[in-house]
Amino acid sequence: MLGKESNSLDGGYGWVVVVSAFVVMGLTAAVLKTFGLFFVEIQQHFDGLASMTSWITSITIAIFHLGAPVASSLCVKYTHRAVVITGGVLAFSGMALGFLGLDMVWMYATTGFLQGLGISFSWIPAISIVSHYFSRKRALANAIASAGECAFAFTFGPFFQWLIGQYGWKGALLIIGGLQLNICVCGALMRPLKSRYLPNTSCPDAETPPGMRASGRDNVNSPITHKIFNWMLLRRLEFVLYAIFGILAAMSFFVPPLFLVPLSYSLGIDESWTASLLSVLALVDFAGRLLCGWYANLHLTRTVHLLAMTIALISTSLMLLPLANNFLSLAIFTGFYGFFFGTTVAIHITVLADVVGMSDFDSALGLFMLIRSTGGFLGPPLAGLIVDMAGDYRAGFYMAGAILILSAVFLVILDQLQQRQEKENQNKTKSEKSMLPYPLLQNRRYQ
């Protein structure tokens, strides 16, 4: 019965949950990714500096991350469905109130704080419940769900540009808020898992050796045992190393989408062509996520190895992107960056599940997003400050690439730690078997 129930998690209604999460990703992360189209409009309206305007996105990103532990705790106490619906209402409120556009502080509070909280309460439970519905196909399911961000961003680029042209940036915010109400519909479709579908295991997670928790086999049969938020994860070195990687990566990930549009304007590229750059970015991002999710599902490479490789390729792309001097070259470099970014996003949540195990996944996801918030909070303003000092938007891309290289170092350290722990556990198991009496050892071989 255990095997049958475990396998039932990898299909059936789980695909309805994946589709719902796909739409939620599009109405949250895709909106955040294409918000760069509003950057110049808001900056000119309030006659502010790039560093001041970038705080809107920075606050959204920070609250998105800071709200993660709250969202995870509410998921444990109530249901993923209820939290997603709440997030949809908050996201709509942020955009609808931002429509008033009273001053920059008002924008910080509405499209910054409320929108960020709405994204957090929608994104966190959506990606979490997908991981609970799938075990062996978790990497593929997460990749498909996260691809909603790209699919929507592909159309949101020209669509938002058209909305701004027709209704102004304020009217566009109101319409986008109305679209985000559909998050509530998606949340209603996220049916909670019944306890009988949750597989059991003979040994509790606390007795599982740390090195073995990172294996894919262990995650297949890991139960959801924690009923309260587990802050003790902060004492696990593997989680701390991955969290440091998350901080540095967040400092870089949100910079390119923010400054890609201003960079294209500085090169004299027309607005219509600039909007198509975001579509190119979304299209290759989509392809990267699905391809990497499919490859990771084959289990040919350790996911942490795959992640380190994609991070190195992203940093290389960011270092080369500022060399573009026309639309064609900018589109090519943007395509490389978008593809490798997509491969990274497809598996970084799966790596987190491998590091902590599914029994601690909800708590780990909330803590990871909370810790990573410092990077998302500091990254855009720091890049904006560097851009103001250099007088060139290219400087922001160089900064992002350099920080990503540093983040890859912590993935290498994490991998070395995991491999060493796995070898120690294997040696310990062999030594324990060698100490067994010969008849008992023979009996175990025939069991």
Side-chain angles (χ1 to χ4, degrees):
M1 287 299 292
L2 175 60
K4 184 177 179 180
E5 287 175 356
S6 179
N7 291 336
S8 69
L9 295 176
D10 284 298
Y13 196 80
W15 294 115
V16 176
V17 175
V18 168
V19 172
S20 299
F22 180 92
V23 178
V24 171
M25 297 300 110
L27 295 175
T28 55
V31 171
L32 181 58
K33 176 179 282 188
T34 52
F35 198 77
L37 289 169
F38 292 86
F39 186 91
V40 175
E41 300 290 336
I42 295 176
Q43 182 181 7
Q44 292 177 348
H45 179 83
F46 294 108
D47 193 24
L49 296 173
S51 56
M52 293 297 295
T53 308
S54 64
W55 275 104
I56 298 176
T57 301
S58 180
I59 291 173
T60 306
I61 296 169
I63 298 303
F64 166 39
H65 290 80
L66 289 170
V70 180
S72 295
S73 299
L74 291 174
C75 288
V76 173
K77 187 174 182 180
Y78 300 104
T79 62
H80 294 79
R81 170 188 284 169
V83 181
V84 172
I85 292 174
T86 303
V89 174
L90 289 171
F92 162 73
S93 301
M95 287 297 193
L97 292 173
F99 162 77
L100 300 177
L102 302 181
D103 52 33
M104 192 65 81
V105 176
W106 180 261
M107 300 304 297
Y108 294 161
T110 55
T111 56
F113 181 83
L114 280 179
Q115 179 68 194
L117 195 61
I119 291 175
S120 183
F121 278 36
S122 304
W123 191 93
I124 296 296
I127 203 67
S128 174
I129 196 170
V130 169
S131 295
H132 284 308
Y133 260 94
F134 289 83
S135 54
R136 284 186 171 278
K137 298 179 182 178
R138 185 176 298 130
L140 180 61
N142 278 326
I144 295 174
S146 68
E149 172 186 339
C150 315
F152 278 74
F154 177 75
T155 56
F156 278 177
F159 178 57
F160 286 3
Q161 190 74 61
W162 178 81
L163 285 178
I164 294 172
Q166 292 293 317
Y167 305 102
W169 66 270
K170 292 183 180 181
L173 289 181
L174 183 61
I175 295 173
I176 294 169
L179 291 175
Q180 288 182 313
L181 280 175
N182 289 287
I183 294 173
C184 300
V185 179
C186 297
L189 293 173
M190 293 180 179
R191 188 170 64 196
L193 272 169
K194 296 181 180 180
S195 59
R196 68 173 181 270
Y197 293 124
L198 300 179
N200 295 316
T201 161
S202 58
C203 61
D205 185 69
E207 297 177 5
T208 307
M212 297 302 292
R213 290 175 191 166
S215 65
R217 288 270 182 192
D218 178 68
N219 287 335
V220 171
N221 294 324
S222 293
I224 305 171
T225 57
H226 291 290
K227 299 303 180 184
I228 59 175
F229 198 83
N230 184 14
W231 293 94
M232 302 306 291
L233 287 167
L234 294 172
R235 294 186 177 183
R236 288 176 55 177
L237 181 57
E238 306 101 304
F239 177 77
V240 171
L241 288 172
Y242 196 68
I244 295 174
F245 153 75
I247 293 173
L248 296 173
M251 289 184 68
S252 306
F253 283 166
F254 298 103
V255 172
L258 185 62
F259 292 114
L260 182 60
V261 171
L263 175 63
S264 66
Y265 288 162
S266 68
L267 295 175
I269 298 175
D270 185 74
E271 290 185 1
S272 58
W273 287 104
T274 298
S276 65
L277 276 178
L278 297 179
S279 297
V280 170
L281 182 64
L283 183 62
V284 294
D285 188 350
F286 182 84
R289 295 187 193 214
L290 293 183
L291 181 61
C292 190
W294 167 79
Y295 179 79
N297 199 60
L298 298 177
H299 304 290
L300 300 176
T301 308
R302 289 171 63 95
T303 51
V304 68
H305 290 175
L306 194 58
L307 182 60
M309 182 178 66
T310 58
I311 288 294
L313 291 171
I314 291 177
S315 61
T316 303
S317 302
L318 287 176
M319 291 295 188
L320 293 175
L321 192 147
L323 299 178
N325 54 13
N326 54 48
F327 173 78
L328 180 60
S329 58
L330 187 60
I332 292 173
F333 287 126
T334 298
F336 279 114
Y337 160 73
F339 180 82
F340 295 128
F341 176 81
T343 60
T344 299
V345 174
I347 58 172
H348 82 286
I349 295 297
T350 303
V351 174
L352 177 62
D354 291 343
V355 169
V356 301
M358 281 309 299
S359 60
D360 284 317
F361 179 70
D362 281 332
S363 297
L365 182 59
L367 274 177
F368 178 73
M369 299 299 289
L370 172 64
I371 296 171
R372 199 177 75 163
S373 66
T374 56
F377 186 72
L378 296 175
L382 178 60
L385 179 62
I386 293 175
V387 166
D388 287 336
M389 293 174 61
D392 192 340
Y393 288 107
R394 293 180 176 88
F397 291 91
Y398 288 129
M399 183 212 80
I403 294 178
L404 270 182
I405 294 175
L406 180 60
S407 73
V409 174
F410 289 90
L411 288 178
V412 174
I413 297 174
L414 171 63
D415 177 55
Q416 293 298 316
L417 177 63
Q418 286 183 329
Q419 291 194 47
R420 185 175 65 186
Q421 289 179 338
E422 289 174 4
K423 289 180 180 178
E424 290 176 354
N425 290 329
Q426 290 174 0
N427 293 334
K428 184 178 178 181
T429 302
K430 289 180 180 178
S431 63
E432 288 177 350
K433 286 183 178 181
S434 64
M435 294 176 65
L436 290 173
Y438 183 76
L440 182 58
L441 184 60
Q442 287 293 102
N443 289 336
R444 286 203 171 189
R445 287 179 180 174
Y446 289 107
Q447 284 179 352

